[in-house]
Amino acid sequence: MLNVRSVNRLSRPLLTIAVAVMTIAIVAVPAASHGQTLSPPPLTGDNVTNPQTRMEPPRTTPTEPILPSIELIRPKRVTWNIHIEAQGNIQPWQEVHISSEVGGLRVLNVLANTGDTVKKGQTLARLNATTVESELDTANAQLVEAKAALAQAAATLERANRLAPSGGVSKQELTLYETQKHTAEARLTAARALVKKQQARLDLATIVAPDDGILSSRSIAEGAIVQSGSELFRIIRQGRLQWRAEVGGEQLLKLAIGKEATVKSPLGETFKGQIRQISPTIDPKTQKGWAMVDLPSNTNLKAGLSVSGELTVGHRQALVLPTTAVLIRDGASQVFRIDQDNRIAAFEVKTGDVRNGLIEVVSGLDEQTRVVSKDLTRMQEGETVGTQEAATDGDNASVTVR
């Protein structure tokens, strides 16, 4: 028979198993009602060693949005020229008129045309010189004849001089022989001059350029008969141009020879030049004078073109910023600075001239205030930004941050 102690030892394990079965049944019923199947999580090294790790969700720390870093610059003082506006025409520096010095000759060849660049001594045209050549041959023959006549007259005079002491030649005859020699000498001189003249006419039948330059005009055609003094070509000497700037009388008094000038091309380009000459008088009707400005040879300007420009009359100091550092909106100019809390603050300034990517700040800003250098359209007042100073190098047309 089993005693009570034995029954107790057997009932304890059975009770434990019964409790476990009931626990599993209680957990499984809700899961089955939702169509889910319970499965144990996979056992990994982390699950075994640190079961709490798989239960913790990732943590994030909220941060305040910060704009990308921006550059700060200081305004800088530069020297700007003081200009006066002017209007005028482009003209040749010097224009050479080439005319025919011989008349009655036919144009044989034309070897240059308008717009050609020519060199000094270059042949531009040839005239038919057949008649001039024949006249030169005649002159040479007359020269030979004159030399012979002089030689004969000299020999006759020499014989007379030998006979004169013995009375073989009278004084009257001796005087006649001397006169004949002088006449022969004069005829020889005239023959030589005629040869030179005809040779010159022959040379002038070839039209050449008197200097380097650009052919600006051509007035002859092959086959035409040219007249003495008629214009054949025009040349812009050395291809140089000048600007004749029309200036009011009061403004003219401010100009000085050697000052810089700027000419504006209709295509948008600008060219630098220097004032070479100033009008000594002022037109009493228009109350204007002129200033001649030498232009560089590499311009695309043409003689006769009407252009505008600026003439320098002095210098002044200007406080400037790059144009990218000033925001112009609704007629007002604004710049942006960073306050002590690294937040954006905007304030208005008064601006002036704009030159070469720089804008003048007339008032509202000093030289020590750092402002945002670019990307102003994305700036919002009160936003927080990171900053870094911009270091820029260059001449007086740049802004250097210290």
Side-chain angles (χ1 to χ4, degrees):
M1 292 183 61
L2 297 175
N3 56 27
V4 176
R5 183 175 300 175
S6 299
V7 173
N8 289 339
R9 284 199 300 268
L10 293 174
S11 60
R12 287 177 183 175
L14 294 175
L15 182 60
T16 301
I17 293 173
V19 172
V21 170
M22 292 178 64
T23 301
I24 294 173
I26 292 172
V27 174
V29 170
S33 64
H34 290 83
Q36 297 179 354
T37 303
L38 294 179
S39 61
L43 295 180
T44 62
D46 294 338
N47 293 337
V48 174
T49 57
N50 188 8
Q52 295 181 352
T53 302
R54 67 177 186 274
M55 303 301 294
E56 294 181 357
R59 297 180 181 179
T60 58
T61 303
T63 57
E64 184 178 1
I66 299 178
L67 292 177
S69 295
I70 62 174
E71 294 181 352
L72 300 179
I73 58 173
R74 285 191 180 101
K76 181 182 179 181
R77 291 203 174 272
V78 297
T79 301
W80 274 0
N81 294 330
I82 302 175
H83 299 128
I84 59 174
E85 299 288 335
Q87 190 83 19
N89 295 330
I90 302 297
Q91 298 179 345
W93 168 61
Q94 289 183 3
E95 193 169 32
V96 181
H97 295 244
I98 303 175
S99 302
S100 173
E101 298 184 46
V102 292
L105 301 182
R106 187 182 302 276
V107 179
L108 193 61
N109 301 109
V110 179
L111 305 176
N113 210 340
T114 304
D116 291 349
T117 299
V118 297
K119 298 294 184 182
K120 183 177 181 179
Q122 179 179 334
T123 300
L124 305 179
R126 290 191 179 93
L127 307 180
N128 190 347
T130 303
T131 58
V132 179
E133 290 174 349
S134 62
E135 291 173 357
L136 178 59
D137 292 340
T138 301
N140 282 324
Q142 292 175 357
L143 177 60
V144 173
E145 183 180 356
K147 288 180 179 180
L150 177 60
Q152 182 180 5
T156 300
L157 179 60
E158 185 180 357
R159 286 194 301 271
N161 285 330
R162 286 199 305 266
L163 296 175
S166 62
V169 177
S170 64
K171 291 183 179 180
Q172 184 179 2
E173 291 175 334
L174 185 60
T175 301
L176 177 60
Y177 296 147
E178 289 177 348
T179 301
Q180 289 177 347
K181 180 185 178 184
H182 292 321
T183 302
E185 289 175 344
R187 288 176 179 173
L188 177 60
T189 302
R192 285 174 175 167
L194 183 59
V195 169
K196 288 183 179 179
K197 177 183 177 180
Q198 297 302 332
Q199 184 63 53
R201 293 188 69 216
L202 181 62
D203 294 339
L204 292 173
T206 301
I207 311 300
V208 299
D211 199 355
D212 296 349
I214 299 175
L215 206 63
S216 60
S217 174
R218 166 188 156 178
S219 307
I220 62 170
E222 294 182 0
I225 304 296
V226 299
Q227 301 300 322
S228 179
S230 60
E231 182 180 295
L232 307 180
F233 300 95
R234 289 187 187 183
I235 291 180
I236 300 175
R237 288 191 62 191
Q238 301 176 14
R240 290 176 56 183
L241 297 175
Q242 63 183 8
W243 176 42
R244 180 189 171 98
E246 301 289 339
V247 183
E250 295 182 2
Q251 302 290 352
L252 191 70
L253 301 178
K254 301 177 183 179
L255 300 180
I257 293 176
K259 288 290 187 178
E260 186 181 84
T262 303
V263 179
K264 302 174 183 178
S265 168
L267 300 179
E269 297 178 88
T270 58
F271 302 98
K272 300 293 184 181
Q274 281 191 334
I275 299 175
R276 177 177 53 84
Q277 189 178 6
I278 299 175
S279 171
T281 60
I282 296 175
D283 191 321
K285 294 182 179 180
T286 63
Q287 285 298 301
K288 288 185 176 182
W290 48 261
M292 293 297 185
V293 177
D294 284 334
L295 299 176
S297 58
N298 60 345
T299 68
N300 59 0
L301 303 175
K302 304 296 182 183
L305 184 66
S306 178
V307 297
S308 62
E310 299 174 339
L311 303 172
T312 301
V313 296
H315 307 280
R316 67 181 178 89
Q317 293 291 312
L319 186 68
V320 298
L321 283 171
T323 54
T324 57
V326 179
L327 179 64
I328 300 177
R329 181 186 295 167
D330 298 331
S333 300
Q334 286 184 327
V335 295
F336 294 84
R337 64 181 177 84
I338 309 302
D339 61 18
Q340 295 179 351
D341 298 327
N342 274 0
R343 296 184 180 275
I344 298 174
F347 59 99
E348 290 190 5
V349 294
K350 184 178 179 181
T351 57
D353 292 343
V354 178
R355 302 183 188 179
N356 301 324
L358 299 177
I359 185 168
E360 179 184 12
V361 180
V362 178
S363 62
L365 184 67
D366 57 43
E367 297 181 50
Q368 302 303 320
T369 302
R370 294 186 179 92
V371 298
V372 179
S373 65
K374 58 185 178 180
D375 298 331
L376 304 187
T377 55
R378 65 181 177 86
M379 298 291 109
Q380 297 292 332
E381 284 196 89
E383 288 186 307
T384 303
V385 296
T387 62
Q388 62 181 27
E389 286 199 5
T392 59
D393 297 323
D395 53 17
N396 61 359
S398 64
V399 178
T400 302
V401 179
R402 302 182 183 276

